Amino acid sequence: MRIWMTGLAILLFVGGALFFALGPQRTTSITLTFHAKMGDDPLIFDEFVYDNPGGSGTFRVRDFRFYLSNLTLSQDGALFAEPDSYHLLRFDNPETIHSIRLNDIPLRSIEHVRFMIGVDPEANGSIQVRGDLDPNSQMAWNWEVGYKFVVMEGTLRIGEEVSPLVYHVGFSENAREVDIQLPPDIGSDGNADLHVNVDLAKLFGGPSQIDLQKLSSVKFNREDAAMLADNYATMMTPMFR
Amino acid sequence: MLRVFLTAAVAVMVAATAWVFWDRARGSTATPIAGFSAPFVFGRFAVPPDNPLTEEAFALGRHLFYDPILSGNNQVSCATCHMQALAFTDGLAKSPALSGGELEFSSMSLINLLWGQERFFWDGRATSLEAQALMPIQHPDEMDQDLDALITELQASRDYRRMFRKAYGEVSAENVARALSTFMRMLISTDSKYDRFLRGEVRLTAQEEHGRKLFMAHPDTKVSLRGGNCIDCHSQFLTSGFRDALDGFSNNGLDSDDDLPDGLMAVTGNPAHKGFFKVPTLRNIAVTAPYMHDGRFETLEEVMDHYNDGIVVSDTLSPLILEADNAPEAGQNTVGLRMTPGEVQSIIAFLNTLTDEGFLTNTQFSNPFEGDG
């Protein structure tokens, strides 16, 4: 009797080990790397190297950052939603990139990466600190208005004249959803590496072409903000190799 | 009977001696600071893992803060330039330098240092309070103390040996920095009228509320929104500069390119940071005159005049300051917010709600060598 029991236990153990070792992997890790660009080239801060897309003069960028929130990964019907998913993407580093790493997602592979540029209405109306949301940060307007979603600041120079550029786009209606479909070969080894270009030029040259001289600031005017939101909705392009 | 008494006496003496030796041998016996809380709107904070907040460290730090033993000539303490009644400033534009003349910068207030920027000094040269704490002690024009000499002096004191032992174990320069940092971290102000307003305990007057709204708004003439633009640099609840990266530093239009000091650029080497200085907390701002890194403004009225129409344009001036204007028509030769005198007074009324009398008189923060300590 005892021999039988021992034999059965060994069989179960070996069988189980084989099942887990040879079966398909159960989790996937992913690194999302966002590359700040102006057109095709890496974004350059603090230098007058860019032409006003809709008018005369050159401009420089002092600050470009935005909130990416509600990141979800999915495969077939299975969905993984990152908890407290509020990332402030800023690019003030030598590579002008920002990476988000998610480890051991309970999906066998990833077909869709979805997120929001901006913040969902519930979090936008809250003063709770979560993820990178911080009501005492530069991205907070004040607790009655919520967060700036996308910030670009700089200077326009026309001849000898310089003037400030201030684009602060917020308001819950201006969050824009992005859906990236991954080709099947990405992440088949359980480790997905996704690179996304973020083209700042699209902020001024998406569906609407902006003359930085005419529209040198956008803050609380709802129509202007919506126009820039429709522009930044197009600034993300995945790079697949 | 006598024998019993003697035996008991010897036993007590042995026990007492043993306890004294054990107490000395066991090193730090620090008690974590309990019941310490802060409003959730202040947000996250971090205490270095190698310097937890303890009662013993606080008590030691408080003694060190007020003790001129920290200076080379034993005449200058931290409190010489950081007086509690003035929210830990000294009321001077610039403090006198030991070698004559004056120091480079104005003495900064010490309030709610657990939150906001993680760099210290006007130019951000210290990246932690622990690093900050030892700099004025060694600066030849501030306290001019040699750290080895200081440790020798402290070791000669029985009281300090005991306090260091309880807090950390040994007397060392590192532990001086840790204790001073703990004391400074606990200088927490949470009971101004603004705090009580946020907790729903009091109402602001109509003028203060008007000032609060202006404080919290970046002006936008396109939608007829008037604003004082303060929140673009001073966070809404802490009123300090921002915590992330170098967001808490700015060029607020004090000087032209020709005489713009280096500021943060001296630390980062980045020309885009020239003329950037640390955005200070506005908590207790009414008692910390004079204002700015060099103390150039005597009153809050002068500060507001600066932002209203006295901005000096330079290359690294914040575009948010250059752009913020309440008047729809183009300005004539001046740059600033161009608010009405009434609006300016309202903002000053709001700034006065940031004074916390309890903080300025809290006996836990006062000189332990005076009074009932």
Side-chain angles (χ1 to χ4, degrees):
Chain A
M1 182 65 187
R2 203 165 149 195
I3 278 186
W4 286 111
M5 290 293 280
T6 312
L8 189 66
I10 289 171
L11 205 67
L12 275 174
F13 178 79
V14 171
L18 276 175
F19 179 78
F20 280 106
L22 300 177
Q25 97 259 343
R26 286 288 187 274
T27 66
T28 306
S29 296
I30 185 168
T31 304
L32 298 147
T33 304
F34 296 87
H35 301 252
K37 303 270 174 134
M38 189 71 90
D40 296 329
D41 300 316
L43 178 64
I44 298 167
F45 286 104
D46 298 317
E47 288 180 44
F48 287 99
V49 288
Y50 300 119
D51 291 331
N52 177 358
S56 56
T58 57
F59 72 100
R60 71 178 171 192
V61 181
R62 157 184 122 129
D63 196 357
F64 171 52
R65 61 179 80 181
F66 61 92
Y67 273 118
L68 181 156
S69 74
N70 294 278
L71 181 58
T72 64
L73 310 168
S74 62
Q75 178 220 11
D76 295 331
L79 180 92
F80 172 80
E82 186 195 19
D84 279 333
S85 181
Y86 300 98
H87 301 272
L88 177 61
L89 269 57
R90 51 189 299 169
F91 304 95
D92 47 348
N93 56 68
E95 290 85 32
T96 62
I97 61 171
H98 190 109
S99 291
I100 298 171
R101 168 116 186 130
L102 298 177
N103 285 317
D104 302 326
I105 309 303
L107 296 173
R108 273 181 213 167
S109 65
I110 296 167
E111 284 169 2
H112 281 273
V113 175
R114 292 190 181 89
F115 52 80
M116 203 179 251
I117 302 172
V119 178
D120 56 279
E122 197 269 316
N124 198 32
S126 161
I127 53 172
Q128 286 289 349
V129 172
R130 50 187 140 176
D132 289 340
L133 292 182
D134 175 0
N136 286 300
S137 77
Q138 183 180 314
M139 295 302 277
W141 261 318
N142 66 60
W143 77 84
E144 282 139 341
V145 189
Y147 287 95
K148 304 160 192 170
F149 295 171
V150 176
V151 162
M152 183 276 180
E153 295 166 10
T155 310
L156 176 66
R157 188 171 66 190
I158 302 174
E160 292 292 297
E161 285 288 303
V162 296
S163 56
L165 300 173
V166 176
Y167 304 95
H168 292 178
V169 186
F171 302 122
S172 292
E173 74 260 22
N174 291 325
R176 291 291 183 271
E177 284 181 28
V178 175
D179 181 347
I180 297 172
Q181 183 167 10
L182 303 193
D185 56 319
I186 283 202
S188 51
D189 60 348
N191 212 340
D193 201 10
L194 174 63
H195 292 264
V196 180
N197 278 339
V198 183
D199 183 6
L200 177 55
K202 289 288 198 316
L203 184 63
F204 308 115
S208 305
Q209 187 89 358
I210 312 284
D211 177 351
L212 304 188
Q213 188 184 13
K214 268 195 200 141
L215 189 72
S216 62
S217 79
V218 171
K219 293 157 297 185
F220 300 113
N221 182 289
R222 293 286 231 271
E223 284 174 25
D224 292 347
M227 178 171 69
L228 288 193
D230 290 338
N231 275 356
Y232 65 59
T234 67
M235 71 180 171
M236 302 267 189
T237 313
M239 283 186 284
F240 302 119
R241 320 160 213 229
Chain B
M1 186 62 201
L2 185 65
R3 222 171 123 173
V4 172
F5 178 75
L6 277 177
T7 312
V10 168
V12 166
M13 277 174 68
V14 168
T17 315
W19 187 83
V20 166
F21 277 102
W22 178 72
D23 186 47
R24 290 182 177 222
R26 68 183 164 160
S28 162
T29 55
T31 334
I33 290 178
F36 145 62
S37 68
F40 88 94
V41 291
F42 282 14
R44 296 189 185 108
F45 63 87
V47 177
D50 64 348
N51 189 20
L53 298 170
T54 67
E55 300 285 358
E56 289 76 8
F58 176 83
L60 171 61
R62 180 179 169 202
H63 279 79
L64 292 170
F65 188 87
Y66 282 96
D67 197 336
I69 196 174
L70 259 62
S71 59
N73 64 11
N74 289 336
Q75 289 174 18
V76 185
S77 72
C78 305
T80 305
C81 298
H82 298 283
M83 306 176 197
Q84 184 184 6
L86 302 179
F88 298 98
T89 61
D90 63 359
L92 302 170
K94 293 173 181 173
S95 315
L98 283 181
S99 64
E102 51 189 19
L103 297 175
E104 200 178 350
F105 300 116
S106 192
S107 165
M108 295 198 86
S109 65
L110 306 174
I111 309 162
N112 297 345
L113 298 168
L114 269 173
W115 298 271
Q117 297 107 319
E118 289 171 313
R119 282 177 175 264
F120 301 93
F121 293 116
W122 282 104
D123 59 5
R125 63 189 181 275
T127 52
S128 72
L129 268 183
E130 280 77 4
Q132 181 277 331
L134 294 179
M135 290 186 181
I137 296 174
Q138 300 174 87
H139 194 294
D141 271 335
E142 296 188 44
M143 296 163 91
D144 194 26
Q145 176 70 285
D146 175 75
L147 287 181
D148 292 334
L150 172 62
I151 298 314
T152 308
E153 278 182 81
L154 290 171
Q155 261 163 347
S157 153
R158 214 175 135 172
D159 286 344
Y160 274 121
R161 281 202 310 271
R162 182 178 50 80
M163 283 194 282
F164 271 93
R165 190 175 66 242
K166 285 186 165 176
Y168 296 110
E170 58 159 357
V171 183
S172 71
E174 257 186 2
N175 290 335
V176 168
R178 288 189 175 125
L180 285 169
S181 302
T182 297
F183 176 68
M184 290 192 282
R185 286 193 176 104
M186 294 311 293
L187 299 175
I188 297 172
S189 170
T190 62
D191 206 28
S192 66
K193 188 175 182 184
Y194 181 48
D195 291 300
R196 283 180 272 132
F197 161 77
L198 290 172
R199 295 197 293 264
E201 295 166 10
V202 295
R203 298 177 73 150
L204 300 182
T205 67
Q207 189 187 34
E208 290 162 351
E209 174 62 13
H210 184 214
R212 185 188 70 80
K213 286 213 158 73
L214 290 165
F215 184 101
M216 305 297 168
H218 183 105
D220 192 342
T221 52
K222 213 164 174 176
V223 292
S224 305
L225 177 69
R226 300 187 67 81
N229 208 28
C230 316
I231 196 177
D232 277 348
C233 295
H234 297 275
S235 61
Q236 56 184 328
F237 301 120
L238 296 170
T239 73
S240 69
F242 308 120
R243 185 187 191 86
D244 281 354
L246 298 172
D247 293 353
F249 293 81
S250 186
N251 173 354
N252 63 340
L254 292 168
D255 295 302
S256 67
D257 279 317
D258 291 337
D259 40 20
L260 194 65
D262 286 351
L264 182 63
M265 182 179 85
V267 178
T268 63
N270 183 347
H273 296 151
K274 188 170 166 68
F276 277 38
F277 286 100
K278 180 167 175 165
V279 175
T281 179
L282 300 181
R283 297 277 175 168
N284 299 291
I285 194 71
V287 304
T288 69
Y291 302 106
M292 304 297 157
H293 63 270
D294 53 5
R296 68 175 66 189
F297 298 134
E298 301 273 341
T299 62
L300 289 175
E301 281 76 8
E302 282 184 34
V303 173
M304 290 308 300
D305 285 347
H306 164 72
Y307 289 119
N308 214 35
D309 59 12
I311 296 293
V312 180
V313 176
S314 59
D315 188 51
T316 59
L317 172 65
S318 164
L320 297 174
I321 289 179
L322 189 55
E323 187 266 350
D325 194 340
N326 284 281
E329 78 285 1
Q332 292 112 18
N333 305 323
T334 65
V335 178
L337 290 161
R338 296 196 289 174
M339 295 183 290
T340 66
E343 288 171 327
V344 168
Q345 283 310 313
S346 293
I347 290 181
I348 292 174
F350 173 67
L351 293 176
N352 273 281
T353 71
L354 299 173
T355 303
D356 178 354
E357 288 298 335
F359 174 81
L360 302 174
T361 57
N362 187 337
T363 51
Q364 291 183 299
F365 305 153
S366 64
N367 188 340
F369 301 107
E370 282 172 6
D372 51 3

